[in-house]
Each structure stands twice: as C-alpha cells, then as structure tokens.
Amino acid sequence: MSKVRIAAVVVSLFAAAQLASGAQCVNKFVTTRQGVRQVVTLLTGKLTFQEAQDLAKAISNKQSPPLEWVDDGGKSIARQTGPLQVIRPMPVGCDGKTSGVVMIVTFGAAISPAKKMNVKFDAKTTVAFEQQ
C-alpha cells in the first residue's frame, strides 16, 4: 500500500473518531522505518493546508530551514531529508484554525520515535506530537 493511501486511511479513521469525541486539537504521528530513515506522517491542526504548502515551498527553495525532530530540551535529534510532502487537509484545527493538514516528512535517523516526538517547524514553532 502506498504512503499516500496509508496516510489517507489513517486520517479518515482518526478524523472520524476525533469529530465524534469532540476533540479540538490534533497533533499525531505515524512512523515507518526505511533503513536509516524514519518516514513520518504528521497529522496536525497547528498548520492549515495552505500554510503547509507554503512551508514546503519555502523549504524546497531554501528560504526556510528543513524541519527538525528535537528532544524536549530543543536539541536536534534529526533533520528532514528530502521534500516535505503535503498530502491533504484534515477537518480538525488548533488555535482557532478551522482545519489542519496531513504531511509526510523523512528524517535521517536510525532510531524510531516512540509515543511522543517534537517537530520544529521554524525558530518559533515546535509542536509536540503523540503516536497514533
């Protein structure tokens, strides 16, 4: 099954469960290992679909640094390798946003995140994600 299909299935099931439970903010991740890389699907309400597309474009054009996986103290564990893939919007947003986004990012790390991971989107924004 392709990464996009897996992400779509995860998002559909998760969004339905979240809407049914009345949750307001979602920051979840699912990871698969490919050799010494971690392919992480991020479900977040902290960015809208458009904001994520703008971020991906800025990273691609080297106008913004790549995403970083950081520990609780902000120390870098791994950096994004390859493009940030913005997959689709999702119906749950955070901080007054009406929707969020599903993205796939690859980190160059031999270790896998477990239960929780922090992703630094920019100098001011680090988001804590829980494992799906």
Side-chain angles (χ1 to χ4, degrees), residues 48-115:
T48 65
F49 185 75
Q50 185 62 53
E51 289 170 335
Q53 286 182 318
D54 293 344
L55 177 60
K57 185 176 180 180
I59 291 170
S60 177
N61 292 334
K62 303 199 183 316
Q63 298 168 335
S64 185
L67 302 185
E68 282 187 82
W69 169 17
V70 297
D71 65 14
D72 290 335
K75 183 179 174 188
S76 182
I77 296 171
R79 296 188 82 176
Q80 171 190 346
T81 61
L84 174 61
Q85 300 173 43
V86 180
I87 304 302
R88 61 177 278 180
M90 68 174 204
V92 181
C94 300
D95 304 331
K97 296 182 181 191
T98 58
S99 66
V101 67
V102 178
M103 304 178 289
I104 297 176
V105 61
T106 302
F107 291 104
I111 60 170
S112 297
K115 296 184 184 179

